[in-house]
Amino acid sequence: MLFSNMSKTNMVRRHVLEKKRSCSKEKESGCLSKHLKKIYPIGLQRTSSSLSLSSLSLSLSQNSNDSSLTDHSSTPLEQKISLALSLIAPHRERREFPMVVKTHVQHHHQQQQQDPPGNGEVRRCHWVTKNSDKVYISFHDEQWGVPVYDDNKLFELLALSGMLMDYNWTEILKRKDLYRESFLGFDPEIVAKMGDKEIHEISSNKAMMLAESRVRCIVDNAKCILKIVRQYGSFSSFMWGYVNYKPTINKYKYPRNVPLRTPKAEAISKDLVKHGFRFVGPVIVYSFMQAAGLTIDHLVDCFRYSECVSLAERPWRHF
């Protein structure tokens, strides 16, 4: 009888303990479900892919401020769950790991910005490669993007930019000395006086590789510059007036961001055509603006960017 009573007592105690455990599990489950619904309106469904630490670290490194919590359409289910779990995890566990990932990402980004690309080489615009010709690299490092205020140099750059319809910068720069010699330093007053004889001699020079129409265009543009000088005082003041006498400083990070033409270049092109200039389409005009420093288009991580910006921020230096 006593044994029977003890058995009944034990059974009651066991039943009570099991009931408490069951209630505790239900509370925990309900708490978890409640938190998940509060953070993410999602349902916990089985998927074929597993929730890995790498996917969690990726989401944290890309969304260190939890900005992705408002995006329900673009985040995979696993990442939603991982973010939800990270937010309801203990405070210590939730903060330590994102800080490590964020620090690693920041350090890697700073290393890319500060360290030269191997062997102590300087960082240039991405279109300048190890295979680029020396004359092209020199042009990039010393002239491209430097503000130009001299009439003769501006005339030269306008003429060279016009040749981009037939050649690339490397081919043009290799013959730059020949052009300077043939066009007598690109002095507009001298070039404007060239007649048929001089034009024929230049176009007949095979080393120059300039068609007669191109030579005549340069001569005609010299005549237009003389008219500009009489009206505006100088070709430099006329050109720089388009940008309010201050270079446009861009902050392009990738080559794809650098445009071939801009609304400003289109407006300048139309105005130059009205003044009688030829071979001055928007693309040519923008190439001229880049070369003459009217616009600074060096990429922001190029070593020449800060140097050209410093030159661009100085007061207008033409007199």
Side-chain angles (χ1 to χ4, degrees):
M1 186 70 176
L2 179 62
F3 178 77
S4 176
N5 292 334
M6 291 179 62
S7 298
K8 290 180 179 180
T9 302
N10 290 334
M11 289 178 63
V12 171
R13 289 179 179 177
R14 187 178 304 172
H15 178 72
V16 171
L17 289 174
E18 289 179 354
K19 187 173 182 181
K20 288 182 178 181
R21 290 175 183 174
S22 176
C23 292
S24 177
K25 289 181 180 179
E26 288 178 0
K27 288 181 179 180
E28 291 178 359
S29 176
C31 180
L32 176 61
S33 177
K34 181 179 179 181
H35 278 289
L36 286 177
K37 289 183 178 179
K38 182 178 181 181
I39 298 169
Y40 257 123
I42 59 174
L44 295 178
Q45 300 176 357
R46 292 185 179 182
T47 60
S48 57
S49 59
S50 61
L51 180 61
S52 63
L53 185 62
S54 60
S55 64
L56 177 63
S57 65
L58 178 62
S59 64
L60 289 174
S61 64
Q62 290 179 341
N63 304 286
S64 58
N65 294 324
D66 295 331
S67 60
S68 63
L69 290 178
T70 59
D71 185 3
H72 305 299
S73 59
S74 60
T75 308
L77 179 61
E78 289 82 6
Q79 293 185 12
K80 294 180 180 180
I81 297 173
S82 66
L83 284 172
L85 291 176
S86 68
L87 291 174
I88 65 175
H91 182 71
R92 183 179 178 181
E93 295 178 2
R94 187 170 68 247
R95 290 182 59 85
E96 288 181 353
F97 183 70
M99 289 176 64
V100 173
V101 175
K102 185 177 180 181
T103 302
H104 173 72
V105 172
Q106 289 178 342
H107 175 70
H108 180 67
H109 178 69
Q110 291 174 356
Q111 226 174 10
Q112 285 183 328
Q113 293 292 329
Q114 296 175 0
D115 294 348
N119 300 325
E121 296 179 2
V122 295
R123 189 183 296 275
R124 295 182 172 90
C125 295
H126 297 175
W127 50 82
V128 182
T129 67
K130 294 181 179 179
N131 298 325
S132 297
D133 194 279
K134 291 182 179 180
V135 68
Y136 181 70
I137 297 176
S138 177
F139 179 64
H140 168 273
D141 292 356
E142 300 172 10
Q143 300 179 49
W144 197 74
V146 175
V148 177
Y149 304 97
D150 181 77
D151 279 10
N152 293 10
K153 292 182 179 179
L154 287 171
F155 177 34
E156 175 183 323
L157 288 174
L158 183 62
L160 298 182
S161 298
M163 298 176 191
L164 290 171
M165 294 183 64
D166 303 316
Y167 308 105
N168 58 43
W169 271 119
T170 300
E171 295 170 327
I172 294 170
L173 294 170
K174 285 182 177 180
R175 297 190 289 269
K176 184 175 63 175
D177 292 337
L178 288 174
Y179 298 145
R180 283 181 178 174
E181 183 180 354
S182 300
F183 291 101
L184 304 173
F186 285 95
D187 186 331
E189 292 186 1
I190 300 176
V191 176
K193 296 178 182 178
M194 286 184 173
D196 292 340
K197 181 180 179 181
E198 291 85 357
I199 294 174
H200 180 71
E201 288 178 356
I202 295 174
S203 60
S204 299
N205 189 340
K206 294 182 179 180
M208 300 280 288
M209 299 181 66
L210 288 179
E212 183 176 330
S213 60
R214 177 70 63 183
V215 179
R216 289 190 181 276
C217 170
I218 295 175
V219 174
D220 291 341
N221 285 348
K223 296 176 182 178
C224 294
I225 290 177
L226 293 182
K227 294 179 182 179
I228 293 293
V229 172
R230 287 193 291 268
Q231 185 176 355
Y232 295 90
S234 69
F235 184 53
S236 178
S237 62
F238 174 73
M239 292 306 306
W240 281 98
Y242 285 115
V243 292
N244 295 323
Y245 307 99
K246 187 176 182 180
T248 301
I249 302 174
N250 295 312
K251 297 181 180 180
Y252 298 129
K253 188 175 181 180
Y254 304 105
R256 64 175 179 268
N257 300 139
V258 182
L260 291 175
R261 56 195 289 175
T262 63
K264 175 68 70 174
E266 293 175 358
I268 296 175
S269 173
K270 291 180 180 179
D271 198 34
L272 289 175
V273 171
K274 290 181 180 179
H275 282 83
F277 287 84
R278 300 189 319 173
F279 288 100
V280 286
V283 176
I284 289 177
V285 168
Y286 195 68
S287 296
F288 164 74
M289 294 174 66
Q290 292 173 319
L294 276 78
T295 180
I296 308 301
D297 277 0
H298 283 283
L299 300 183
V300 292
D301 61 351
C302 174
F303 85 100
R304 286 292 289 165
Y305 179 78
S306 58
E307 297 176 358
C308 288
V309 168
S310 298
L311 295 173
E313 290 177 343
R314 297 184 304 177
W316 189 46
R317 298 180 61 85
H318 178 78
F319 299 98

